Amino acid sequence: EKIDIFVGYKVGDVVEAVFPGDGQTYRATVVTATDHGSFQVRWQDPDGGPECSVVSPQHMKYPPIPLDELSIGQKYRGTVTSISDFGAFVDIGAESIGLVHVSRISKKRFDSINDVLEEEQEVDVWISGLRDDGKFGLTMIEGRLDGGGAGGHGAWRPSDLTAFKSVSSEDWVEGTVRNIAPFGAYVTVTLPSGESADGLLHVSQLSDSYVKDVSKVVEMGQDLKVRITQVDLKRGKMFLSRRTDVSGLPPAPRDVSRFQDVPADQWLTGTVRGTGPMGAFVAVTLPSGK
């Protein structure tokens, strides 16, 4: 199977990259490109860990486009993720998946959506409408809009998350998976008091272990328990976690000063402690037994 890997990252680009220490994904900034095709990135929140790491491009990606940066009429190149009788869902790289209604697929008549679209197909789309709940409409026919968001003005307005701001990050709350994307899952969280709102369960927060495929861990309609790790009232965004430590941050570095004088041609005894997409984690023992 052919896999296309983007290698055109530039210095200063904000990316999401896999931290070599634990195999989890974190936000970082590209510092420089190496001679071997990899990139040195600076972690935005190292939390005691290394400030920079070298990451290969297959373990990097651009972060999703914030919903409040979308506006009616913007053009994107997207990928069809699924097809239904009423339209097609298209991933444009935003924080949620957009819907192209059947009436906005083509000016020409067709008997079935499957006659003109298929999953994994790349298409040009325009933002046709924005809603308060984080959902947005798309059109494959330029200029055919759906009246915009609340009030009919097409302006995105953040959700009121005031009731969720006071919930402790140590408390587990009920949620239901509403949508799945390559970067995570959108979960509708319901408080005991009855308030409901959608939050992002990022791929790095799905499990304590590395997650390669979101759909292998959660599915649409699944009920689960999550923790609310961050609420941004101004932007109307809520971030969730299923990790037991909730931190989502790289671990603090260990003292490896005892290894700095070991010659490069000396063989040491080691034990594989874990594996990840970039290789294996090995616990190395010095001849002294330390």
Side-chain angles (χ1 to χ4, degrees):
E1 181 181 358
K2 180 181 179 181
I3 300 177
D4 294 325
I5 298 175
F6 180 75
V7 297
Y9 298 103
K10 299 179 177 61
V11 174
D13 283 352
V14 176
V15 298
E16 290 183 345
V18 176
F19 178 64
D22 63 2
Q24 297 291 338
T25 303
Y26 305 99
R27 190 68 61 91
T29 302
V30 177
V31 177
T32 185
T34 70
D35 295 335
H36 306 290
S38 299
F39 296 87
Q40 185 179 45
V41 301
R42 177 178 291 109
W43 305 108
Q44 291 192 358
D45 193 352
D47 191 40
E51 290 189 1
C52 297
S53 300
V54 175
V55 183
S56 58
Q58 59 261 41
H59 297 139
M60 298 168 58
K61 63 181 179 181
Y62 285 116
I65 304 168
L67 294 176
D68 56 6
E69 291 185 6
L70 300 179
S71 62
I72 304 297
Q74 286 178 330
K75 182 180 180 180
Y76 290 94
R77 186 72 173 174
T79 302
V80 177
T81 61
S82 61
I83 295 174
S84 66
D85 293 337
F86 53 83
F89 291 93
V90 177
D91 182 3
I92 63 170
E95 292 179 329
S96 61
I97 305 298
L99 171 65
V100 181
H101 189 266
V102 61
S103 64
R104 297 181 179 86
I105 291 178
S106 175
K107 293 181 179 179
K108 299 180 180 179
R109 291 181 58 86
F110 52 85
D111 295 327
S112 170
I113 297 178
N114 294 284
D115 293 337
V116 291
L117 291 176
E118 59 183 14
E119 292 186 7
E120 303 301 325
Q121 179 179 343
E122 291 190 353
V123 293
D124 289 327
V125 292
W126 290 262
I127 304 294
S128 62
L130 300 166
R131 290 171 43 173
D132 296 346
D133 59 2
K135 299 178 182 179
F136 60 93
L138 299 170
T139 177
M140 293 174 61
I141 305 173
E142 186 176 8
R144 182 171 293 184
L145 309 179
D146 55 3
H153 300 295
W156 179 84
R157 297 190 308 180
S159 302
D160 183 7
L161 300 176
T162 305
F164 298 84
K165 184 69 174 179
S166 60
V167 178
S168 171
S169 62
E170 298 180 356
D171 294 338
W172 293 94
V173 294
E174 300 288 344
T176 302
V177 178
R178 179 180 66 81
N179 205 349
I180 294 177
F183 50 82
Y186 281 91
V187 177
T188 300
V189 175
T190 302
L191 299 180
S193 54
E195 293 90 343
S196 294
D198 288 346
L200 174 62
L201 182 58
H202 191 269
V203 62
S204 65
Q205 300 298 310
L206 277 169
S207 172
D208 288 330
S209 56
Y210 174 75
V211 174
K212 182 178 181 180
D213 186 346
V214 176
S215 64
K216 299 295 185 182
V217 181
V218 294
E219 59 184 17
M220 295 276 288
Q222 177 181 343
D223 293 327
L224 42 70
K225 290 183 178 293
V226 295
R227 303 193 197 197
I228 300 174
T229 57
Q230 182 182 353
V231 176
D232 188 334
L233 294 178
K234 184 177 180 181
R235 301 179 68 189
K237 295 185 177 182
M238 179 165 59
F239 300 92
L240 312 171
S241 177
R242 292 181 75 193
R243 293 180 60 171
T244 56
D245 62 1
V246 192
S247 65
L249 300 173
R254 296 183 178 182
D255 181 12
V256 294
S257 58
R258 296 190 300 272
F259 294 84
Q260 62 183 1
D261 296 327
V262 177
D265 58 354
Q266 180 178 343
W267 291 90
L268 300 176
T269 300
T271 303
V272 176
R273 297 300 189 189
T275 59
M278 73 295 291
F281 297 99
V282 179
V284 179
T285 303
L286 292 173
S288 61
K290 298 182 179 180

